[in-house]
Amino acid sequence: MSEEQKKELISRYSFEKRILERELELPALPNAKKGEVVMRFAPNPNGPPTLGSARGIVINGEYCKIYDGKYIMRFDDTDPKTKRPMIEAYDWYLEDMEWLGYNPDEIIYASKRIHLYYDYARKLIEIGKAYTCFCKKEEFKKFRDSGFPCSHRENEIERNLETWERMLEGRYGEGEVVLRIKTDMSHRDPAVRDWVAFRIIYTPHPLVGDAYFVYPTLDFESAIEDRLCKTTHILRGKDLRDSELRQRYIYNYFGWEYPITMHWGRVNVVEFGKLSTSLIKREIESGKYEGWDDPRLPTVRALRRRGITAEAIRKFFISLGLSESEVNISMKNLFAENRKIVDPEANRYFFVANPVEIEIENLPNENRVEIPLNPKKNEKRVLNGEKFVYVSLEDFEKLRGENVRLKDFCNVILDRKAKFVSYELLGAKKGKNIIHWLPKSFAIKCRVLGENVWEGFVEKGVEREVGRVVQFERFGFCKIEKAEKEILAIYTHD
RNA sequence: GCUCCGGUGGUGUAGCCCGGCCAAACAUAGGGGCCUCUCGAGCCCCUGCCCCGGGUUCAAAUCCCGGCCGGAGCACCA
């Protein structure tokens, strides 16, 4: 074939691909019509929401906003024993969800609606699609692994109904009997073979006490609840992918249409490794962390306390999208997002960690030093340029004996007894010898909490910033938490 | 072991379904420079990626087959 023919062929088959300006937005949701979308975020409140939960809240919430849909907060709290809900955590979820910018249109507590699920269980037994099973779990595991049914599978419907009634009357002990959904004992995926729909637990539930003792498993509860709420789209982590396979059996038995599902991959935040809710709980109890909002923790409340904005968290997860591949992501990405939001607004202050007091000998006169509160704004803060000032130990040790610029004030030869050089900026260079300082008469004690604890002084004026993120120059962004006798700040990021 | 899902620069994401201006884009990180009286921000430049092997095709990141690697499920947890 000649070159010409080749070219001809190529141009015939190639088509112009429009290069889309990619914005920060989620891909279109399949089969979604504006105003008709119903989605839910369904956590078990056995601890406060973490960064991982935030992904679910944000992704589902964003789609609800885009499609003007209904957003349901559903507490999947149907295990009072192994994954026992924390009574305070219900409110924590609601608080954090609102803080992240999403307001649920409806709140559902599965534990209060268990009687509704019983009706469906009964119907399934009646049509021969569920059976009561007296196998011990190890015993059943053998059947599941080998793919053979256990004897209970062939129970008469009448007998199943009878046992079920007796379960509800409390005639059996924990672990004695369960209700199973009949799927296919030879299904190629062992995870879907005749799974448990109800089990008996006598431990009182933190929210509803002893109102029930026959509890549905997540798969049963979720299957029914999604139907009752008319959920159209389920977006969740890949760990629940097999749920769909299991739950579809129920949908098929009842002739229901299963919602559209999408799953995102596992997120591993490098800084935290595998920190599960239960592990955090243990470390709080052991005293390693001070509480669920310890700024070192990846809970939503800790991030908020620390000065990470909801907007940054939202953008962070929107940018991750719905990829099914598992990701190793660093907090640095979140911080970069946050810095962009916080930087233009944050006022600047001098914070001197590990202060060293120096005296400027032969200072000609004290004077007012005006420094912008923020380089992009006009407002100024005023410091008194006086004889006794603090500088940080780190700067002192590094630059002792050198010509150093006390930012916006004057140049000195740095020492405990420093020599005044000039008011003008003579040969001082950014990144080299311009340092921050504090007049002794203007300094308030300040403690900064982060990975470390820093003690030092901060300039007067930060008292006004309680609740806001400021930047301590040459130190980092911090959120001012308290201003009483001394200032308490939480380290946000650099 | 069985099942399912992934694998694009250091890290994320887009492109894959519908093969072709993709010798691959954006963000972040790292390196260099400019600017700024902060180690912050901004501006400019640079480094660096289609897991491997076959196949189909004029043409493969994209389709097919086979490996390898990673993750998840196989609970009377969610």
Side-chain angles (χ1 to χ4, degrees):
Chain A
M1 182 180 305
S2 74
E3 283 305 307
E4 203 142 316
Q5 282 173 305
K6 268 190 184 173
K7 269 187 189 163
E8 206 272 331
L9 257 174
I10 288 166
S11 65
R12 178 151 22 119
Y13 286 102
S14 69
F15 58 92
E16 205 160 320
K17 257 193 179 172
R18 203 155 67 96
I19 309 298
L20 294 163
E21 217 31 66
R22 205 166 69 82
E23 287 159 38
L24 186 70
E25 59 183 22
L26 263 357
L29 206 51
N31 235 312
K33 283 196 206 94
K34 212 168 170 122
E36 290 173 20
V37 165
V38 180
M39 306 217 273
R40 81 303 198 279
F41 172 66
N44 174 21
N46 61 339
T50 60
L51 249 194
S53 329
R55 186 176 194 175
I57 297 175
V58 169
I59 297 294
N60 284 290
E62 282 302 312
Y63 276 118
C64 281
K65 281 185 179 170
I66 294 168
Y67 291 102
D68 197 13
K70 179 178 179 186
Y71 198 11
I72 298 170
M73 165 65 104
R74 186 181 84 207
F75 291 105
D76 282 350
D77 55 350
T78 56
D79 183 353
K81 201 175 179 182
T82 321
K83 287 257 172 107
R84 180 159 238 267
M86 251 175 104
I87 196 75
E88 314 90 305
Y90 289 91
D91 284 341
W92 292 347
Y93 266 95
L94 265 12
E95 264 171 47
D96 289 354
M97 187 181 201
E98 195 186 337
W99 178 72
L100 283 168
Y102 308 96
N103 281 48
D105 298 294
E106 193 175 342
I107 301 165
I108 288 175
Y109 301 83
S111 59
K112 294 184 182 175
R113 290 159 57 94
I114 291 174
H115 54 278
L116 296 176
Y117 315 144
Y118 290 159
D119 297 340
Y120 293 91
R122 194 186 169 84
K123 278 179 206 154
L124 285 167
I125 300 170
E126 283 167 355
I127 58 173
K129 300 302 184 188
Y131 62 97
T132 51
C133 173
F134 287 88
C135 292
K136 295 273 163 277
K137 48 175 161 175
E138 315 75 53
E139 242 177 291
F140 191 82
K141 183 174 166 48
K142 284 180 202 149
F143 286 112
R144 178 174 43 234
D145 290 347
S146 64
F148 291 107
C150 73
S151 61
H152 312 286
R153 198 175 208 263
E154 297 313 316
N155 286 161
E156 298 285 326
I157 289 175
E158 277 313 311
R159 199 163 147 211
N160 284 327
L161 280 170
E162 215 171 279
T163 311
W164 174 246
E165 290 306 328
R166 290 167 67 95
M167 277 170 80
L168 294 177
E169 285 163 15
R171 309 264 208 114
Y172 299 108
E174 282 187 22
E176 203 175 329
V177 60
V178 297
L179 185 74
R180 288 188 187 279
I181 300 301
K182 210 180 265 186
T183 61
D184 175 358
M185 282 308 283
S186 55
H187 193 283
R188 36 204 317 254
D189 185 348
V192 324
R193 297 173 188 166
D194 289 17
W195 50 275
V196 172
F198 284 88
R199 76 293 208 202
I200 298 166
I201 303 172
Y202 288 107
T203 309
H205 191 282
L207 190 66
V208 295
D210 53 9
Y212 304 99
F213 45 83
V214 176
Y215 285 94
T217 56
L218 171 79
D219 279 313
F220 193 85
E221 175 268 319
S222 185
I224 302 302
E225 208 54 84
D226 281 328
R227 172 66 184 185
L228 295 178
C229 299
K230 302 181 171 65
T231 304
T232 58
H233 300 257
I234 300 173
L235 273 42
R236 60 186 166 198
K238 252 171 65 170
D239 51 324
L240 289 174
R241 191 177 201 105
D242 286 349
S243 275
E244 175 174 349
L245 253 33
R246 285 190 283 256
Q247 292 174 207
R248 270 187 185 279
Y249 278 87
I250 294 180
Y251 278 68
N252 289 152
Y253 294 151
F254 285 132
W256 298 340
E257 195 187 334
Y258 201 78
I260 292 167
T261 57
M262 290 178 141
H263 299 91
W264 55 78
R266 202 183 84 112
V267 181
N268 181 34
V269 180
V270 268
E271 285 84 350
F272 298 111
K274 20 97 195 108
L275 260 194
S276 65
T277 302
S278 43
L279 185 75
I280 296 174
K281 193 175 209 160
R282 252 178 285 141
E283 308 219 274
I284 289 172
E285 280 158 9
S286 80
K288 181 171 174 190
Y289 298 111
E290 296 194 0
W292 291 102
D293 63 350
D294 188 303
R296 291 166 293 180
L297 251 22
T299 58
V300 172
R301 44 216 317 109
L303 294 170
R304 171 169 62 229
R305 181 177 174 207
R306 176 177 181 167
I308 304 298
T309 58
E311 182 63 16
I313 295 176
R314 248 180 275 138
K315 285 189 168 161
F316 179 71
F317 284 120
I318 291 171
S319 77
L320 283 192
L322 282 114
S323 156
E324 287 204 36
S325 47
E326 53 275 356
V327 297
N328 279 286
I329 200 154
S330 163
M331 290 295 282
K332 284 183 183 171
N333 295 273
L334 216 207
F335 295 159
E337 209 66 72
N338 198 244
R339 196 177 296 117
K340 281 184 212 155
I341 294 165
V342 138
D343 180 76
E345 288 305 317
N347 288 330
R348 315 288 141 130
Y349 294 94
F350 286 158
F351 164 70
V352 176
N354 303 319
V356 174
E357 184 179 331
I358 67 169
E359 178 184 356
I360 307 169
E361 296 181 319
N362 60 25
L363 179 70
N365 51 287
E366 294 198 353
N367 52 0
R368 271 166 64 94
V369 176
E370 289 195 352
I371 315 178
L373 265 173
N374 179 302
K376 291 196 177 63
K377 297 183 196 164
N378 286 326
E379 298 127 277
K380 302 263 200 275
R381 62 198 149 114
V382 180
L383 289 182
N384 194 35
E386 62 192 32
K387 209 169 172 181
F388 293 96
V389 305
Y390 294 117
V391 300
S392 77
L393 181 65
E394 196 192 337
D395 287 332
F396 183 79
E397 285 178 340
K398 206 167 87 190
L399 298 167
R400 190 170 192 176
E402 291 187 39
N403 186 343
V404 162
R405 174 69 175 176
L406 299 179
K407 188 172 183 271
D408 294 298
F409 175 27
C410 65
N411 290 22
V412 297
I413 303 296
L414 186 65
D415 214 320
R416 286 190 196 278
K417 302 267 185 197
K419 304 254 178 327
F420 174 84
V421 177
S422 71
Y423 285 121
E424 293 74 41
L425 181 76
L426 292 173
K429 265 213 174 123
K430 173 176 164 142
K432 186 161 176 285
N433 59 349
I434 297 177
I435 67 170
H436 60 291
W437 56 281
L438 227 40
K440 196 178 173 188
S441 66
F442 256 63
I444 323 175
K445 271 203 158 172
C446 178
R447 211 149 59 93
V448 177
L449 254 50
E451 288 302 325
N452 301 308
V453 178
W454 294 271
E455 303 274 356
F457 291 108
V458 72
E459 68 183 79
K460 269 186 190 164
V462 279
E463 313 91 276
R464 294 186 307 255
E465 305 276 3
V466 173
R468 282 201 285 269
V469 173
V470 299
Q471 190 199 52
F472 288 161
E473 294 197 39
R474 303 209 313 136
F475 182 79
F477 291 92
C478 292
K479 182 164 170 189
I480 306 300
E481 184 165 278
K482 262 193 231 164
E484 289 160 5
K485 271 184 110 166
E486 57 171 65
I487 306 291
L488 179 65
I490 314 291
Y491 189 78
T492 308
H493 48 63
D494 54 16

